Amino acid sequence: MSGSGRLMISLALFASLLVCVNAHFNYKEALTKSIIFLEAQRSGKLPPHPRPPWRGDSALQDGKTVGVDLVGGYYDAGDNVKYGLPMAFTVTTLAWAAYFYKAELTSAGEMKNVLDGIKWGTDYFLKASTGNNRLFVQVGDPVSDHECWMRPENMKSSRKVLEINQNCPGTEIAAETAAALAASSIVFRDVDKTYSRNLLHSAKKLFQFANEHRGTYNGECPFYCSYSGYHDELLWGATWLYIATRRPIYLKYIQDESTTAIVSEFSWDLKFAGAQVLLSQLYWEGQKEFQTFQRQADGYICQVFPESPYHQAFITPGGLLHFRDGANAQYVTSTAFLFSVYSDLLARHRMQVTCGDKHFTSVQLMAFAKRQMDYLLGDNPIKRSMMVGFGNNPPLQAHHRGASVPVMAPTEDVNCGMSFVYWYNTNKPNPNELTGAILGGPDKQDRFIDSRTNSSYTEPCTYVNSVAIGVLAKLAK
């Protein structure tokens, strides 16, 4: 073969490799649609002309049984229950995206929509936390909810209300809600100062309640049990309050009272890594008292990054992080977000991560974050998107009541037993597109079953999308 022929083949192979490594998607479209999914999860009185056109007002009497207005907030996933812990984490991480990627979200034209999404949650939290040492943490009964496959606009299941107080504490939920309000107060500071002050005032009260009346609340089990305990939420809440106020009381808690650990997961249940990344930013900006947390943030990277000699996270044959079956995409998007933020901090301060005898740059970390997002968007062995309404061969059967039940009059009576026959146990596409929902995703062998009866593959969650928004905004630049 001639030298020119060998050169042409080599160039072709190199071009093919570039297409594989640098798979490109319309990240701005993915960003927009990710936000639209969160709008589809809204409960309460919706604004005129919602972007998911099949959604309507729902749960307008929430809280009436206990004499409190608890209308609003978010449904967590494919059901019609409002759980406080994952809702608060959704809002905290959405606020973090708005705080850290403000320029990128503004450039993409999505900052207002993100602020609206944050406020939809914080308005609810303000109503749920009006009393001292008291927080309403759940509306809806998961048992009765799971006995009926019905869209929220027509549901007739119990809207039971659960609360935590000084006699029945719930440190995890109170501290996470404090984090949500504190983080949100930062992003609203230049938008609405009065509202920002109200958020911060409530955040301070909730953190005090969480810290002074310690105890794990298991009322949201078996769906949102706190497996990791409450020390991570206390550190997380104190960190956001310190960033929002710079008050010594929160600095003292972080330095002298908090518990911390190197972990390989960032999720609604485990926040150590998130707090460590936030405190690393302060460390590199000059607060050397946070060095321990910066080293632990490095430790998180070393446990997750596949090229690290200390990595523990499982990677599927197709390259996807896999922590657990059932909404595994939440760990993918949360990892991508932390890697994205940390890569920016490394680049800003000209630092690297050292794992044993290996050193990793900001470029390498961001490439890994992008690879994880690209897998979800369609660059995977089965060549299909995991985001509804986006990309190649997206899912059609999201495990989601509102999306799978046709629009009907609000007064229409539905037999709960037959609802599963009509709309759940059918092998048909959902009548309503759940635009932007990132579903649970493939298993450890990169297999994906697009069936609403297989919830581990097809159920969406607000906290899968909330942590995707920041990294998508960065990729959309």
Side-chain angles (χ1 to χ4, degrees):
M1 182 181 292
S2 68
S4 59
R6 284 193 297 269
L7 177 61
M8 290 179 65
I9 291 175
S10 298
L11 287 173
L13 289 171
F14 180 67
S16 175
L17 179 63
L18 277 178
V19 169
C20 178
V21 173
N22 296 318
H24 182 74
F25 295 93
N26 187 336
Y27 298 111
K28 186 176 183 300
E29 177 191 352
L31 170 64
T32 297
K33 290 184 173 180
S34 289
I35 298 168
I36 291 175
F37 164 69
L38 293 178
E39 294 171 14
Q41 296 301 104
R42 291 180 179 181
S43 177
K45 180 71 176 176
L46 301 186
H49 314 298
R51 289 200 285 181
W54 44 272
R55 277 304 322 276
D57 300 339
S58 64
L60 298 180
Q61 302 299 314
D62 277 3
K64 189 174 183 179
T65 57
V66 294
V68 179
D69 177 9
L70 295 175
V71 176
Y74 288 96
Y75 303 116
D76 70 308
D79 53 19
N80 300 326
V81 180
K82 298 191 298 197
Y83 295 100
L85 185 56
M87 191 194 306
F89 181 70
T90 296
V91 173
T92 310
T93 49
L94 194 58
W96 191 0
Y99 164 67
F100 196 83
Y101 287 117
K102 178 179 179 179
E104 290 81 355
L105 286 167
T106 302
S107 176
E110 292 294 347
M111 192 61 179
K112 182 182 183 304
N113 289 323
V114 170
L115 289 175
D116 288 345
I118 295 168
K119 193 171 186 295
W120 195 267
T122 52
D123 282 351
Y124 174 81
F125 293 140
L126 290 176
K127 293 190 290 185
S129 61
T130 52
N132 290 323
N133 297 333
R134 187 186 194 192
L135 176 66
F136 293 98
V137 297
Q138 182 176 313
V139 183
D141 178 3
V143 175
S144 65
D145 184 79
H146 286 188
E147 291 173 350
C148 201
W149 191 259
M150 180 45 54
R151 62 198 298 266
E153 293 83 351
N154 296 87
M155 66 177 168
K156 294 180 174 59
S157 53
S158 167
R159 302 304 290 169
K160 179 174 68 174
V161 176
L162 301 181
E163 68 172 88
I164 56 174
N165 51 54
Q166 59 189 23
N167 298 316
C168 180
T171 299
E172 293 92 340
I173 307 179
E176 180 61 62
T177 308
L181 293 169
S184 300
S185 76
I186 298 170
V187 299
F188 277 102
R189 193 168 288 163
D190 296 329
V191 178
D192 186 336
K193 284 185 169 56
T194 300
Y195 188 68
S196 174
R197 284 195 295 268
N198 290 339
L199 296 177
L200 191 55
H201 176 69
S202 292
K204 292 174 183 177
K205 288 200 308 178
L206 281 172
F207 183 80
Q208 183 178 357
F209 168 43
N211 194 29
E212 292 181 354
H213 300 279
R214 295 191 181 190
T216 290
Y217 179 70
N218 290 319
E220 295 190 334
C221 283
F223 303 100
Y224 291 102
C225 304
S226 175
Y227 298 104
S228 66
Y230 52 69
H231 292 291
D232 57 314
E233 277 87 7
L234 285 171
L235 174 61
W236 177 240
T239 298
W240 278 113
L241 276 162
Y242 180 68
I243 293 171
T245 66
R246 302 302 169 118
R247 287 185 60 185
I249 185 175
Y250 303 115
L251 177 61
K252 181 179 184 301
Y253 179 84
I254 295 167
Q255 286 184 291
D256 301 335
E257 302 174 38
S258 69
T259 298
T260 186
I262 297 175
V263 295
S264 59
E265 172 189 322
F266 177 54
S267 68
W268 61 263
D269 184 41
L270 188 57
K271 286 89 179 201
F272 283 131
Q276 290 155 6
V277 168
L278 283 168
L279 293 170
S280 295
Q281 180 174 353
L282 299 182
Y283 168 75
W284 280 318
E285 289 173 355
Q287 293 196 243
K288 299 307 179 186
E289 62 268 35
F290 294 137
Q291 184 179 48
T292 295
F293 298 99
Q294 186 276 315
R295 288 174 176 171
Q296 290 178 328
D298 273 7
Y300 162 77
I301 298 295
C302 294
Q303 288 200 10
V304 176
F305 194 54
E307 296 175 41
S308 163
Y310 305 130
H311 80 92
Q312 297 180 6
F314 180 84
I315 304 290
T316 70
L320 183 72
L321 279 166
H322 192 280
F323 283 78
R324 297 175 186 87
D325 289 328
N328 180 66
Q330 68 179 293
Y331 309 109
V332 179
T333 55
S334 66
T335 301
F337 178 64
L338 286 196
F339 268 64
S340 178
V341 170
Y342 209 59
S343 74
D344 283 341
L345 294 175
L346 292 175
R348 189 180 301 171
H349 298 282
R350 299 182 180 180
M351 302 299 294
Q352 294 184 348
V353 175
T354 299
C355 304
D357 60 350
K358 292 193 174 182
H359 306 279
F360 303 110
T361 67
S362 62
V363 173
Q364 289 173 289
L365 266 60
M366 190 59 215
F368 179 67
K370 180 180 181 295
R371 174 74 188 96
Q372 295 306 302
M373 295 306 300
D374 284 351
Y375 184 111
L376 294 177
L377 296 177
D379 183 17
N380 52 54
I382 56 175
K383 302 302 178 187
R384 69 179 305 172
S385 170
M386 296 296 124
M387 177 184 282
V388 177
F390 177 89
N392 182 59
N393 193 21
L396 300 175
Q397 292 192 36
H399 178 94
H400 189 276
R401 286 161 172 76
S404 60
V405 179
V407 174
M408 58 185 71
T411 56
E412 187 163 341
D413 191 33
V414 175
N415 180 288
C416 284
M418 293 305 293
S419 66
F420 290 90
V421 175
Y422 295 147
W423 303 303
Y424 179 73
N425 292 308
T426 62
N427 189 25
K428 296 178 181 178
N430 289 343
N432 309 310
E433 182 184 272
L434 192 61
T435 304
I438 302 173
L439 303 192
D443 61 19
K444 297 179 78 168
Q445 300 302 319
D446 299 300
R447 294 173 302 212
F448 178 76
I449 301 172
D450 186 14
S451 168
R452 76 179 60 84
T453 60
N454 284 279
S455 61
S456 64
Y457 295 100
T458 59
E459 187 162 21
C461 304
T462 56
Y463 43 87
V464 177
N465 278 56
S466 65
V467 286
I469 285 169
V471 64
L472 286 172
K474 179 179 178 180
L475 291 170
K477 286 178 62 178

